[in-house]
Amino acid sequence: MELKVDRTIDARGSYCPGPLMELIRAIREARVGEVIEVLSSDSGSKRDIPKWCQKAGHELLRVVDEQGFARFIVRKAR
Amino acid sequence: MSRRVLVVGGGTGGSIVANLLARRPDMEVTLVSREATHLYQPGLLYVPFGWVSPEQLVRPQRPLLHPRIRFLHDEVREIDPVRRVARLSAGELAADAVVLATGARLAPEEVPGMEDAHHFYSPEAAVRLRETLARLEGGHIVVGVAGVPYKCPPAPLEFALLLEWELRRTGRRSRTRITYVSPLPRAFPIESVADVVEPIMARRGIELVTFFNVERVDPARKTVSSLEGEEIPYDVLVLIPPHRGTAPVALDGIADRGGWIRTDRETLQVAGYDHVYAIGDATDLPVSKSGSAAHYQARTVAERIAAGNPGRDIRYTGKVMCFLETGERRATLLRFDYQHPPRPAPPNPVAFALKRLFNRVYWALVPTGRV
């Protein structure tokens, strides 16, 4: 099933502020229910993004591995 | 035939673009700034400790600009990015190329209770914090950020480390507790940097609370609480306010909901508009909002404008270079780009000396476009 993504953030090569900070920024600006996709080439994102989503109560819908980066698809849940 | 370039904003990035292009006889450069002065923002970090005064961080804008630049102390109310016409208080201005370097603004109103928090991101706030710290006998000091993105990612961490050092030097450390709250799972966005800094924080007794995204401050109960559901009591709270973009009102789609200008990460063109560029804090680029990033972006944009319409050949590589001071007369240098994460050395006296030197030579070398 194709997911409808409301906004994509290309954070590949973002070391500072970093992909997770870009995601947090987008979540704050989004409305509840919107879906945000973050592209990250930072290996730490695989650990950090799921951890943050769990702690902050947002839904990590999918993690897709691509060549040299990963896509994280998150729904703002509250 | 000469080309007309309009630069909006007189901070580090705007001043560099304008100065680089004004050296070329085929360019007619106009710089519009709301401010008649230029503030060296990195120096604000030292104000709360009384190491410098805000007056030492401000100089008039005009002498920093090449004599060929037309400097207008005015405000751009609106820009038409298709026709490249800007509406100023004093009338309209048309250009062949536009550079938006309008920076970020502080938005404390977005967090309830922020009036009880200190910060050092404006001269006035830094002076208020200096007065509070001068009177401080002891208590719990909580340091962090109230929103992302914010300018100069290392600054709040540097503040906590410099504060610890200063309290120790003034004999007050044993009566104080310092807690650093981070929105991330570590003390700093970049893991390699966090790996260097976290042991230093632990050794110096700075407590670290991670995954703390500030939601509200309660001035009556003196507590700060997070999106993740934690609450921390404080005696003195130092929180960098949320930031917002400052794009001049324009066609829909030039800025995202945060007000950040949608900017191509390599060409620095504003999405959808030829010959309109954005640099520095005003952009939505995934690099740190810092003078250093603006500096490298300004050089790329100046080269692109000088070359006409160069396609993707002249690109910004994501380069940033900045210092992180840790107190005890030590610092480390962070250098990175889109392809390479930083690999900082342990904080050392040489990097500290370079940082202090940079603070002094900034005025002669940076806004002028000499380096």
Side-chain angles (χ1 to χ4, degrees):
Chain A
M1 191 192 78
E2 203 46 40
L3 261 173
K4 187 187 162 291
V5 171
D6 295 293
R7 181 170 175 199
T8 296
I9 297 151
D10 186 354
R12 284 176 289 177
S14 175
Y15 298 107
C16 183
L20 177 54
M21 273 175 106
E22 295 288 346
L23 172 65
I24 295 171
R25 159 167 98 90
I27 287 275
R28 278 194 191 267
E29 287 163 14
R31 289 182 267 271
V32 172
E34 281 187 327
V35 174
I36 293 154
E37 175 184 57
V38 182
L39 316 187
S40 171
S41 53
D42 174 13
S43 57
S45 294
K46 282 249 164 92
R47 188 189 50 213
D48 294 349
I49 291 180
K51 247 168 96 179
W52 183 77
C53 288
Q54 195 186 9
K55 180 148 186 187
H58 301 294
E59 234 180 303
L60 180 59
L61 300 175
R62 209 170 285 179
V63 181
V64 185
D65 278 308
E66 305 275 0
Q67 193 72 35
F69 68 100
R71 295 175 189 276
F72 297 86
I73 303 175
V74 179
R75 188 193 331 259
K76 178 166 174 151
R78 59 189 192 92
Chain B
M1 203 184 85
S2 71
R3 277 185 293 151
R4 300 159 302 169
V5 180
L6 169 63
V7 180
V8 187
T12 301
S15 299
I16 294 172
V17 173
N19 277 321
L20 288 175
L21 289 173
R23 293 175 191 170
R24 300 174 52 103
D26 57 334
M27 298 284 165
E28 268 176 46
V29 182
T30 302
L31 187 145
V32 182
S33 176
R34 285 196 309 194
E35 310 290 338
T37 52
H38 184 105
L39 170 67
Y40 179 59
Q41 297 183 59
L44 290 170
L45 172 65
Y46 307 124
V47 172
F49 309 110
W51 299 344
V52 297
S53 68
E55 298 75 45
Q56 291 171 275
L57 304 173
V58 176
R59 297 208 184 168
Q61 179 75 41
R62 179 67 254 191
L64 297 170
L65 300 175
H66 193 288
R68 287 190 62 237
I69 295 172
R70 179 157 69 124
F71 173 60
L72 301 177
H73 178 205
D74 198 338
E75 187 165 7
V76 172
R77 302 283 176 81
E78 203 169 349
I79 284 190
D80 177 340
V82 177
R83 292 165 52 230
R84 296 188 291 275
V85 173
R87 192 165 61 79
L88 281 62
S89 314
E92 285 200 342
L93 200 65
D96 301 303
V98 175
V99 182
L100 301 174
T102 45
R105 69 176 178 86
L106 302 178
E109 68 280 2
E110 292 184 9
V111 176
M114 271 297 281
E115 65 276 9
D116 203 44
H118 284 279
H119 68 87
F120 52 91
Y121 273 41
S122 71
E124 301 73 29
V127 166
R128 275 198 303 277
L129 178 53
R130 181 179 72 195
E131 288 161 3
T132 297
L133 292 182
R135 287 194 305 265
L136 182 85
E137 290 296 328
H140 187 199
I141 306 165
V142 177
V143 181
V145 298
V148 288
Y150 61 95
K151 286 183 278 191
C152 192
L157 191 56
E158 291 179 290
F159 175 81
L161 290 159
L162 294 179
L163 174 69
E164 194 280 333
W165 186 42
E166 180 65 10
L167 291 174
R168 209 163 2 117
R169 296 202 308 175
T170 51
R172 296 176 290 174
R173 182 66 181 99
S174 61
R175 299 189 300 274
T176 50
R177 182 180 156 204
I178 303 172
T179 298
Y180 189 77
V181 296
S182 169
L184 298 168
R186 60 185 79 90
F188 194 72
I190 313 173
E191 196 161 8
S192 58
V193 178
D195 288 346
V196 168
V197 172
E198 285 179 7
I200 297 172
M201 294 170 74
R203 174 169 62 74
R204 290 167 52 185
I206 300 172
E207 295 166 48
L208 173 63
V209 177
T210 57
F211 278 147
F212 194 95
N213 282 277
V214 170
E215 189 155 70
R216 60 178 59 250
V217 176
D218 185 337
R221 295 173 53 235
K222 295 260 177 211
T223 58
V224 54
S225 48
S226 75
L227 204 66
E228 292 85 2
E230 277 181 85
E231 191 178 64
I232 299 176
Y234 64 82
D235 294 299
V236 176
L237 180 61
V238 181
L239 273 189
I240 309 310
H243 287 39
R244 287 291 172 204
T246 53
V249 182
L251 296 184
D252 282 346
I254 200 172
D256 66 18
R257 277 180 215 151
W260 310 107
I261 301 169
R262 294 182 203 276
T263 308
D264 186 282
R265 43 192 265 143
E266 291 181 339
T267 66
L268 305 176
Q269 268 172 240
V270 174
Y273 303 103
D274 285 343
H275 307 292
V276 181
Y277 294 93
I279 55 172
D281 300 344
T283 67
D284 72 344
L285 295 171
V287 295
S288 58
K289 297 195 179 298
S290 66
S292 168
H295 184 166
Y296 292 113
Q297 292 159 15
R299 301 194 73 88
T300 300
V301 165
E303 276 183 55
R304 287 186 65 87
I305 291 174
N309 197 350
R312 299 189 83 82
D313 289 346
I314 300 170
R315 291 179 298 151
Y316 173 60
T317 59
K319 190 171 176 186
V320 179
M321 186 163 77
C322 62
F323 291 95
L324 193 156
E325 276 194 60
T326 55
E328 304 177 320
R329 304 182 71 79
R330 283 168 191 273
T332 185
L333 184 62
L334 314 180
R335 296 160 63 164
F336 50 98
D337 60 35
Y338 290 143
Q339 302 295 327
H340 308 90
R343 282 182 304 193
N348 59 82
V350 175
F352 174 80
L354 279 174
K355 169 73 194 282
R356 291 299 163 97
L357 179 67
F358 182 81
N359 290 336
R360 291 213 307 270
V361 298
Y362 172 82
W363 296 103
L365 297 185
V366 180
T368 52
R370 288 203 178 94
V371 296

